Amino acid sequence: MATPALQAQFEQQIEQHRKVLYKISRSYAQTREDQEDLAQEILVQLWRSFARFDGRSLFLTWMYRVALNTAISFARREFTQKRYVVTVEDRLLAALPDRPPETGEETLLYDILQQLDPLPRALLLLYLDGNRYQEIADVLGISPTNVATKLSRLKETLRDTYAKRKVNLK
């Protein structure tokens, strides 16, 4: 049973970093319903794990790790599998307010992101959120040098893909 103080601390952290939930769920699920399901599943996993968060890393780094692992597992599942709903207090689910509307550029970026494999997708999300290479390495469990190498290759691929998509949209 969670204490009111622990629950309040969790809600505060989620409110502060809720955009991460939007970005990850939008990047790993195609439909609005699946995005909402994924955001809820991430929130549940974060809550289940929160009591074990030991502060050795930043909350945001820990949150990314839990959220990305949940999203990757979610994306790998067959959509024909039955999903089990875990009951959670309505108050916790209310910590995830409506997602803000996207611009055309954001929609294009998310479309490109969904074409990527899970690791490059996670890498790009972390990079676009302004994380340093060391923070990205900590979340993904790879070296900072590996982050730099993978990002360099990914940027080149994305430049080509983005340019082709923009031309096709005109």
Side-chain angles (χ1 to χ4, degrees):
M1 186 72 144
T3 65
L6 185 66
Q7 188 167 336
Q9 184 183 9
F10 177 76
E11 289 173 5
Q12 177 190 13
Q13 289 288 354
I14 293 301
E15 179 61 30
Q16 185 178 354
H17 301 293
R18 69 179 173 192
K19 288 183 180 182
V20 170
L21 294 173
Y22 298 138
K23 290 174 188 174
I24 292 174
S25 63
R26 177 64 172 91
S27 298
Y28 282 85
Q30 298 271 344
T31 67
R32 175 75 176 193
E33 294 79 22
D34 284 341
Q35 291 165 15
E36 290 171 2
D37 287 348
L38 178 54
Q40 181 178 351
E41 191 169 328
I42 290 169
L43 190 60
V44 168
Q45 291 304 322
L46 287 166
W47 174 244
R48 285 181 175 170
S49 306
F50 188 65
R52 293 186 305 272
F53 173 63
D54 59 12
R56 284 187 290 170
S57 64
L58 294 174
F59 176 83
L60 185 58
T61 302
W62 172 82
M63 181 179 176
Y64 265 120
R65 182 170 284 185
V66 172
L68 287 169
N69 284 336
T70 302
I72 290 168
S73 295
F74 183 92
R76 287 182 180 157
R77 275 191 225 141
E78 304 253 352
F79 286 116
T80 56
Q81 287 182 330
K82 184 176 179 179
R83 294 192 188 127
Y84 296 96
V85 178
V86 178
T87 57
V88 178
E89 291 181 39
D90 289 338
R91 188 170 173 214
L92 284 177
L93 295 178
L96 187 61
D98 290 336
R99 187 176 74 205
E102 295 175 0
T103 65
E105 292 283 321
E106 288 173 329
T107 301
L108 178 58
L109 177 62
Y110 283 120
D111 289 345
I112 291 170
L113 276 169
Q114 288 180 349
Q115 307 275 324
L116 298 174
D117 289 332
L119 180 62
R121 190 180 314 175
L123 184 68
L124 185 58
L125 277 172
L126 291 164
Y127 175 75
L128 291 174
D129 261 356
N131 291 288
R132 296 184 329 262
Y133 286 9
Q134 183 61 55
E135 292 167 328
I136 296 171
D138 290 344
V139 170
L140 299 179
I142 60 178
S143 72
T145 304
N146 201 347
V147 168
T149 301
K150 288 181 180 299
L151 269 175
S152 177
R153 291 178 186 153
L154 185 57
K155 286 178 188 177
E156 186 176 322
T157 301
L158 287 174
R159 269 191 288 275
D160 294 341
T161 304
Y162 189 73
K164 289 175 188 174
R165 293 267 182 111
K166 286 225 21 150
V167 168
N168 289 338
L169 289 176
K170 292 181 179 180

